[in-house]
Amino acid sequence: MRATYKTLFGCVLISSVLVNALGSISAMLVGAGLGGVAVAAVYRYLLESENCNSKWTHFNSTGLEFDLDHKLFGQHVASRVILKAVTGFMNNKNPKKPLVLSLHGSTGTGKNFASELIAENIYKEGMASSFIHQFVSTVHFPHQRNIENYKSKLKQWIKGNVTICPRSIFIFDEMDKMQPGLIDSIKAYLDYYKNLDGISYRHAIFIFLSNAGGEKIMQVALDFWRAGRDREEMELKDLETALSLSVFNNKQSGFWHASLIDKNLVDFFVPFLPLEYKHVLLCGMAEMAAKGLKPNHDVATQMAREMIYTPKTEKLFSVKGCKTISSKLDYYT
């Protein structure tokens, strides 16, 4: 999956453990006949390589709040929940369990992007950090016949990487396509245990991403609109209970009858609302700026208008959210 997994089973990794033993390494290098220049080069490599310490992992609460408010469009509920959950967890020096977030919503609503914002405000290297581990169900766990092997490997990957860095993040994408029963294999790592076999998982973060529950969220948003209520009036309580039940009872979901839900180990089910025309417009403007282009309102308007919206009568929500904005921008510019 990531380089850190490979290092546990035969490859060489110069990790934070070795950094704490610089003196010993120096002695070995000198003993091997290497001169001062070579020793200095190794020292420099070790000191400049990412390590699991405050230089490389430092939470920026202000940065996360700014990013959620100004970069994640149309998601006032998700932004509020994520900010409070992550800030509270990161500021807690002695959490009782890992932070477990399950992000739900239709495609293109910002679930992956929200995960990136979290990573960028915890790790100096952002999503490129070696302490972030991503799993995509259709890529890493595609075959039902191999589920027992997947379970074993998944537990090894998590255990090995938390051993290297307790402040690790594990992101599971396409939970709606995961083999049922697989995710329960890591239940013990998400529970309230102080340690398992001498390893504490309490400082890790687990993020699940899923399209499951998207229809339920869309229905609540549509009901608000039809009732003449403002979108920003929606709160977590309006969505979370129905969302968790929908996911738990969805036979097509990796959470189907999962004990993670039954045992209340998921801290927050975070709903991502369907995006409206105004949000797609903002995505277009932001994408132009991200690509170093001067934001052009006419171009953004043209892209937003050509998106497909649902339901057929109201045409209120973008079917693909902002997912295809980047490729459309390449066409229009």
Side-chain angles (χ1 to χ4, degrees), residues 226-243:
R226 286 173 174 169
R229 300 178 65 183
D230 190 75
R231 178 189 179 98
E232 277 64 38
E233 290 182 40
M234 271 185 280
E235 299 179 14
L236 181 62
K237 65 181 181 181
D238 296 313
L239 297 151
E240 189 175 35
T241 300
L243 178 57

PDB file of all heavy atoms in Angstrom, residues 226-243:
ATOM      1  N   ARG A 226     -38.259  22.199  -0.190  1.00  0.00           N
ATOM      2  CA  ARG A 226     -39.682  22.223  -0.512  1.00  0.00           C
ATOM      3  C   ARG A 226     -40.510  22.872   0.584  1.00  0.00           C
ATOM      4  O   ARG A 226     -41.581  23.432   0.331  1.00  0.00           O
ATOM      5  CB  ARG A 226     -40.173  20.794  -0.764  1.00  0.00           C
ATOM      6  CG  ARG A 226     -39.712  20.231  -2.112  1.00  0.00           C
ATOM      7  CD  ARG A 226     -40.070  18.769  -2.263  1.00  0.00           C
ATOM      8  NE  ARG A 226     -39.753  18.284  -3.612  1.00  0.00           N
ATOM      9  CZ  ARG A 226     -39.756  16.996  -3.960  1.00  0.00           C
ATOM     10  NH1 ARG A 226     -40.054  16.066  -3.053  1.00  0.00           N
ATOM     11  NH2 ARG A 226     -39.459  16.643  -5.196  1.00  0.00           N
ATOM     12  N   ALA A 227     -40.005  22.801   1.820  1.00  0.00           N
ATOM     13  CA  ALA A 227     -40.698  23.428   2.949  1.00  0.00           C
ATOM     14  C   ALA A 227     -40.367  24.915   3.069  1.00  0.00           C
ATOM     15  O   ALA A 227     -40.853  25.598   3.974  1.00  0.00           O
ATOM     16  CB  ALA A 227     -40.338  22.712   4.245  1.00  0.00           C
ATOM     17  N   GLY A 228     -39.540  25.408   2.145  1.00  0.00           N
ATOM     18  CA  GLY A 228     -39.172  26.818   2.169  1.00  0.00           C
ATOM     19  C   GLY A 228     -38.173  27.165   3.240  1.00  0.00           C
ATOM     20  O   GLY A 228     -37.988  28.335   3.589  1.00  0.00           O
ATOM     21  N   ARG A 229     -37.499  26.145   3.776  1.00  0.00           N
ATOM     22  CA  ARG A 229     -36.514  26.384   4.833  1.00  0.00           C
ATOM     23  C   ARG A 229     -35.135  26.594   4.222  1.00  0.00           C
ATOM     24  O   ARG A 229     -34.790  26.015   3.183  1.00  0.00           O
ATOM     25  CB  ARG A 229     -36.486  25.211   5.807  1.00  0.00           C
ATOM     26  CG  ARG A 229     -37.819  24.964   6.496  1.00  0.00           C
ATOM     27  CD  ARG A 229     -37.757  23.765   7.422  1.00  0.00           C
ATOM     28  NE  ARG A 229     -36.833  24.006   8.544  1.00  0.00           N
ATOM     29  CZ  ARG A 229     -36.558  23.079   9.464  1.00  0.00           C
ATOM     30  NH1 ARG A 229     -37.121  21.876   9.369  1.00  0.00           N
ATOM     31  NH2 ARG A 229     -35.727  23.362  10.455  1.00  0.00           N
ATOM     32  N   ASP A 230     -34.332  27.414   4.868  1.00  0.00           N
ATOM     33  CA  ASP A 230     -33.000  27.723   4.373  1.00  0.00           C
ATOM     34  C   ASP A 230     -32.074  26.524   4.550  1.00  0.00           C
ATOM     35  O   ASP A 230     -32.129  25.830   5.572  1.00  0.00           O
ATOM     36  CB  ASP A 230     -32.439  28.929   5.139  1.00  0.00           C
ATOM     37  CG  ASP A 230     -31.155  29.437   4.499  1.00  0.00           C
ATOM     38  OD1 ASP A 230     -31.234  30.085   3.443  1.00  0.00           O
ATOM     39  OD2 ASP A 230     -30.076  29.166   5.067  1.00  0.00           O
ATOM     40  N   ARG A 231     -31.240  26.281   3.589  1.00  0.00           N
ATOM     41  CA  ARG A 231     -30.292  25.159   3.623  1.00  0.00           C
ATOM     42  C   ARG A 231     -29.422  25.196   4.878  1.00  0.00           C
ATOM     43  O   ARG A 231     -29.147  24.168   5.489  1.00  0.00           O
ATOM     44  CB  ARG A 231     -29.424  25.226   2.361  1.00  0.00           C
ATOM     45  CG  ARG A 231     -28.340  24.161   2.247  1.00  0.00           C
ATOM     46  CD  ARG A 231     -27.443  24.493   1.060  1.00  0.00           C
ATOM     47  NE  ARG A 231     -26.355  23.530   0.882  1.00  0.00           N
ATOM     48  CZ  ARG A 231     -26.376  22.522   0.039  1.00  0.00           C
ATOM     49  NH1 ARG A 231     -27.433  22.300  -0.719  1.00  0.00           N
ATOM     50  NH2 ARG A 231     -25.337  21.706  -0.074  1.00  0.00           N
ATOM     51  N   GLU A 232     -28.997  26.395   5.261  1.00  0.00           N
ATOM     52  CA  GLU A 232     -28.100  26.547   6.399  1.00  0.00           C
ATOM     53  C   GLU A 232     -28.779  26.249   7.737  1.00  0.00           C
ATOM     54  O   GLU A 232     -28.117  26.219   8.777  1.00  0.00           O
ATOM     55  CB  GLU A 232     -27.502  27.957   6.426  1.00  0.00           C
ATOM     56  CG  GLU A 232     -26.290  28.138   5.518  1.00  0.00           C
ATOM     57  CD  GLU A 232     -26.623  27.953   4.039  1.00  0.00           C
ATOM     58  OE1 GLU A 232     -27.724  28.394   3.628  1.00  0.00           O
ATOM     59  OE2 GLU A 232     -25.801  27.357   3.309  1.00  0.00           O
ATOM     60  N   GLU A 233     -30.094  26.026   7.717  1.00  0.00           N
ATOM     61  CA  GLU A 233     -30.794  25.647   8.944  1.00  0.00           C
ATOM     62  C   GLU A 233     -30.556  24.179   9.298  1.00  0.00           C
ATOM     63  O   GLU A 233     -30.778  23.762  10.437  1.00  0.00           O
ATOM     64  CB  GLU A 233     -32.304  25.874   8.798  1.00  0.00           C
ATOM     65  CG  GLU A 233     -32.735  27.328   8.752  1.00  0.00           C
ATOM     66  CD  GLU A 233     -34.246  27.448   8.646  1.00  0.00           C
ATOM     67  OE1 GLU A 233     -34.957  26.671   9.320  1.00  0.00           O
ATOM     68  OE2 GLU A 233     -34.718  28.295   7.870  1.00  0.00           O
ATOM     69  N   MET A 234     -30.142  23.401   8.329  1.00  0.00           N
ATOM     70  CA  MET A 234     -29.916  21.978   8.576  1.00  0.00           C
ATOM     71  C   MET A 234     -28.789  21.781   9.579  1.00  0.00           C
ATOM     72  O   MET A 234     -27.757  22.443   9.522  1.00  0.00           O
ATOM     73  CB  MET A 234     -29.576  21.253   7.271  1.00  0.00           C
ATOM     74  CG  MET A 234     -30.781  20.745   6.525  1.00  0.00           C
ATOM     75  SD  MET A 234     -30.346  19.781   5.061  1.00  0.00           S
ATOM     76  CE  MET A 234     -29.988  21.104   3.911  1.00  0.00           C
ATOM     77  N   GLU A 235     -29.007  20.840  10.507  1.00  0.00           N
ATOM     78  CA  GLU A 235     -28.016  20.513  11.518  1.00  0.00           C
ATOM     79  C   GLU A 235     -27.717  19.019  11.487  1.00  0.00           C
ATOM     80  O   GLU A 235     -28.432  18.242  10.850  1.00  0.00           O
ATOM     81  CB  GLU A 235     -28.526  20.909  12.910  1.00  0.00           C
ATOM     82  CG  GLU A 235     -28.813  22.396  13.063  1.00  0.00           C
ATOM     83  CD  GLU A 235     -29.338  22.739  14.441  1.00  0.00           C
ATOM     84  OE1 GLU A 235     -29.232  21.882  15.350  1.00  0.00           O
ATOM     85  OE2 GLU A 235     -29.864  23.858  14.622  1.00  0.00           O
ATOM     86  N   LEU A 236     -26.675  18.630  12.193  1.00  0.00           N
ATOM     87  CA  LEU A 236     -26.280  17.228  12.213  1.00  0.00           C
ATOM     88  C   LEU A 236     -27.420  16.346  12.707  1.00  0.00           C
ATOM     89  O   LEU A 236     -27.643  15.254  12.170  1.00  0.00           O
ATOM     90  CB  LEU A 236     -25.043  17.045  13.108  1.00  0.00           C
ATOM     91  CG  LEU A 236     -24.490  15.621  13.207  1.00  0.00           C
ATOM     92  CD1 LEU A 236     -24.020  15.129  11.847  1.00  0.00           C
ATOM     93  CD2 LEU A 236     -23.348  15.562  14.219  1.00  0.00           C
ATOM     94  N   LYS A 237     -28.149  16.813  13.702  1.00  0.00           N
ATOM     95  CA  LYS A 237     -29.236  16.015  14.272  1.00  0.00           C
ATOM     96  C   LYS A 237     -30.339  15.722  13.261  1.00  0.00           C
ATOM     97  O   LYS A 237     -31.096  14.755  13.414  1.00  0.00           O
ATOM     98  CB  LYS A 237     -29.826  16.724  15.488  1.00  0.00           C
ATOM     99  CG  LYS A 237     -30.502  18.048  15.177  1.00  0.00           C
ATOM    100  CD  LYS A 237     -31.037  18.716  16.431  1.00  0.00           C
ATOM    101  CE  LYS A 237     -31.742  20.038  16.116  1.00  0.00           C
ATOM    102  NZ  LYS A 237     -32.251  20.704  17.347  1.00  0.00           N
ATOM    103  N   ASP A 238     -30.453  16.550  12.228  1.00  0.00           N
ATOM    104  CA  ASP A 238     -31.469  16.330  11.201  1.00  0.00           C
ATOM    105  C   ASP A 238     -31.104  15.169  10.276  1.00  0.00           C
ATOM    106  O   ASP A 238     -31.962  14.667   9.534  1.00  0.00           O
ATOM    107  CB  ASP A 238     -31.660  17.590  10.354  1.00  0.00           C
ATOM    108  CG  ASP A 238     -32.186  18.761  11.166  1.00  0.00           C
ATOM    109  OD1 ASP A 238     -33.137  18.552  11.928  1.00  0.00           O
ATOM    110  OD2 ASP A 238     -31.624  19.872  11.038  1.00  0.00           O
ATOM    111  N   LEU A 239     -29.827  14.752  10.318  1.00  0.00           N
ATOM    112  CA  LEU A 239     -29.341  13.796   9.335  1.00  0.00           C
ATOM    113  C   LEU A 239     -28.677  12.554   9.912  1.00  0.00           C
ATOM    114  O   LEU A 239     -28.758  11.472   9.332  1.00  0.00           O
ATOM    115  CB  LEU A 239     -28.328  14.495   8.409  1.00  0.00           C
ATOM    116  CG  LEU A 239     -28.863  15.646   7.564  1.00  0.00           C
ATOM    117  CD1 LEU A 239     -27.761  16.661   7.284  1.00  0.00           C
ATOM    118  CD2 LEU A 239     -29.414  15.096   6.253  1.00  0.00           C
ATOM    119  N   GLU A 240     -28.008  12.679  11.056  1.00  0.00           N
ATOM    120  CA  GLU A 240     -27.092  11.626  11.505  1.00  0.00           C
ATOM    121  C   GLU A 240     -27.785  10.307  11.811  1.00  0.00           C
ATOM    122  O   GLU A 240     -27.325   9.239  11.391  1.00  0.00           O
ATOM    123  CB  GLU A 240     -26.291  12.099  12.722  1.00  0.00           C
ATOM    124  CG  GLU A 240     -25.185  11.126  13.089  1.00  0.00           C
ATOM    125  CD  GLU A 240     -24.309  11.631  14.221  1.00  0.00           C
ATOM    126  OE1 GLU A 240     -24.825  12.301  15.133  1.00  0.00           O
ATOM    127  OE2 GLU A 240     -23.102  11.334  14.195  1.00  0.00           O
ATOM    128  N   THR A 241     -28.883  10.328  12.550  1.00  0.00           N
ATOM    129  CA  THR A 241     -29.541   9.076  12.936  1.00  0.00           C
ATOM    130  C   THR A 241     -30.041   8.305  11.717  1.00  0.00           C
ATOM    131  O   THR A 241     -29.780   7.100  11.565  1.00  0.00           O
ATOM    132  CB  THR A 241     -30.729   9.358  13.883  1.00  0.00           C
ATOM    133  OG1 THR A 241     -30.241  10.022  15.052  1.00  0.00           O
ATOM    134  CG2 THR A 241     -31.405   8.069  14.274  1.00  0.00           C
ATOM    135  N   ALA A 242     -30.747   9.005  10.831  1.00  0.00           N
ATOM    136  CA  ALA A 242     -31.248   8.358   9.614  1.00  0.00           C
ATOM    137  C   ALA A 242     -30.096   7.859   8.754  1.00  0.00           C
ATOM    138  O   ALA A 242     -30.179   6.786   8.139  1.00  0.00           O
ATOM    139  CB  ALA A 242     -32.111   9.338   8.823  1.00  0.00           C
ATOM    140  N   LEU A 243     -29.001   8.607   8.735  1.00  0.00           N
ATOM    141  CA  LEU A 243     -27.843   8.237   7.928  1.00  0.00           C
ATOM    142  C   LEU A 243     -27.194   6.959   8.452  1.00  0.00           C
ATOM    143  O   LEU A 243     -26.909   6.033   7.690  1.00  0.00           O
ATOM    144  CB  LEU A 243     -26.830   9.378   7.933  1.00  0.00           C
ATOM    145  CG  LEU A 243     -25.518   9.146   7.178  1.00  0.00           C
ATOM    146  CD1 LEU A 243     -25.791   8.793   5.728  1.00  0.00           C
ATOM    147  CD2 LEU A 243     -24.639  10.386   7.271  1.00  0.00           C
TER     148      LEU A 243
END
